């Protein structure tokens, strides 16, 4: 498994290296009570890693839903999760948003700037992922997707002017250690710990995130 980027508290999720996708998915369901569902996976084709979806130009190779009804497949049961990954141990780990959390997605450069400001402001963060697409996703309480546009406007920004996206119902994020083909794996910028089990509201993080995205334009 990829190394955690930052965070000082010890936690069972995730161990640093060696855990299988199956065991990691089970822990997400069992310890964080996150719904999980298996996505696509990578297959070796002519010496190259290709997405099992068969599209050679797949934009999220090995890291997107494998079926149209993925929302009904998502489960918070560790037993069911284990059963699903036993059928396909190489399947990516995807987490639906709009259930136990929403996610605010920003460019990597803006995300690191926002993290520095949040530390100075002594804000309590939830988990944060860093994807090979160079985006950071901040986990917040459900309902953020509906509130974020108005929150951004109140700060004096046009939502369309910022590269800031809130993922809610109907969306999903890929969880570590899911790999995006040869691009690399999703990592934790702020890993899940006992201290961040309770997620912040979008209102608590939107100011430093919007500011950082404005600086990053």
């Amino acid at each position: 498994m990829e190394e955690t980027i930052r965070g000082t508290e010890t936690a069972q999720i995730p161990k640093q290296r060696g855990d299988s996708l199956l065991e990691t998915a089970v822990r997400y369901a069992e310890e964080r009570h996150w719904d999980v569902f298996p996505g696509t996976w990578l297959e070796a084709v002519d010496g190259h890693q290709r997405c099992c979806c068969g599209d050679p130009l797949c934009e999220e190779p090995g890291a997107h839903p494998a079926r149209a009804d993925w929302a009904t497949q998502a489960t918070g049961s560790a037993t069911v999760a284990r059963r699903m990954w036993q059928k396909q141990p190489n399947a990516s780990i995807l987490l639906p948003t709009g259930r136990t959390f929403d996610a605010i997605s920003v460019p990597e450069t803006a995300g690191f700037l926002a993290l520095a400001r949040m530390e100075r402001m002594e804000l309590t963060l939830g988990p944060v992922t860093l994807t090979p697409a160079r985006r950071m996703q901040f986990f917040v309480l459900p309902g953020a997707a509906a509130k974020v546009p108005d929150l951004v406007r109140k700060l004096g920004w046009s939502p369309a002017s910022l590269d800031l996206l809130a993922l809610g119902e109907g969306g999903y994020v890929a969880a570590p250690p899911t790999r995006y083909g040869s691009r690399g794996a999703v990592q934790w910028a702020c890993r899940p710990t006992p201290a961040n089990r309770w997620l912040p509201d979008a209102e608590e993080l939107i100011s430093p995130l919007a500011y950082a995205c404005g600086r990053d334009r």
Side-chain angles (χ1 to χ4, degrees), residues 24-192:
T24 304
V26 167
R27 282 203 308 277
Y28 288 150
E30 191 169 58
E31 298 177 14
R32 294 299 288 205
H33 304 294
W34 289 339
D35 282 5
V36 298
F37 68 98
T40 52
W41 56 91
L42 298 171
E43 298 176 333
V45 179
D46 297 328
H48 299 283
Q49 293 289 314
R50 298 274 180 86
C51 185
C52 69
C53 72
D55 182 358
L57 301 177
C58 180
E59 295 183 357
E60 298 180 311
H64 63 85
R67 42 194 282 184
D69 64 342
W70 62 264
T72 62
Q73 186 186 23
T75 180
S77 165
T79 300
V80 175
R82 182 177 297 278
R83 189 180 307 134
M84 289 194 295
W85 265 271
Q86 283 175 340
K87 293 179 180 178
Q88 181 45 256
N90 295 321
S92 54
I93 303 173
L94 304 181
L95 312 175
T97 50
R99 299 188 183 187
T100 52
F101 65 87
D102 280 7
I104 301 177
S105 175
V106 300
E108 173 186 307
T109 50
F112 279 118
L113 175 60
L115 282 175
R117 288 179 63 86
M118 290 172 186
E119 286 185 351
R120 291 195 298 270
M121 296 167 69
E122 298 184 345
L123 295 178
T124 300
L125 294 178
V128 182
T129 62
L130 174 62
T131 77
R134 302 183 69 84
R135 295 194 70 83
M136 295 179 78
Q137 295 166 328
F138 291 73
F139 289 24
V140 294
L141 289 172
K147 296 190 295 186
V148 160
D150 282 342
L151 293 174
V152 169
R153 291 188 189 96
K154 288 178 180 178
L155 292 170
W157 297 95
S158 164
S161 70
L162 299 181
D163 188 2
L164 183 154
L165 175 66
L167 303 172
E169 186 175 358
Y172 64 89
V173 297
T178 294
R179 297 194 69 84
Y180 280 66
S182 60
R183 302 175 202 169
V186 183
Q187 301 180 62
W188 290 115
C190 294
R191 66 189 178 201

Side-chain angles (χ1 to χ4, degrees), residues 185-204:
V186 183
Q187 301 180 62
W188 290 115
C190 294
R191 66 189 178 201
T193 71
N196 63 22
R197 183 172 295 278
W198 303 105
L199 299 177
D201 192 279
E203 295 181 41
E204 300 173 57

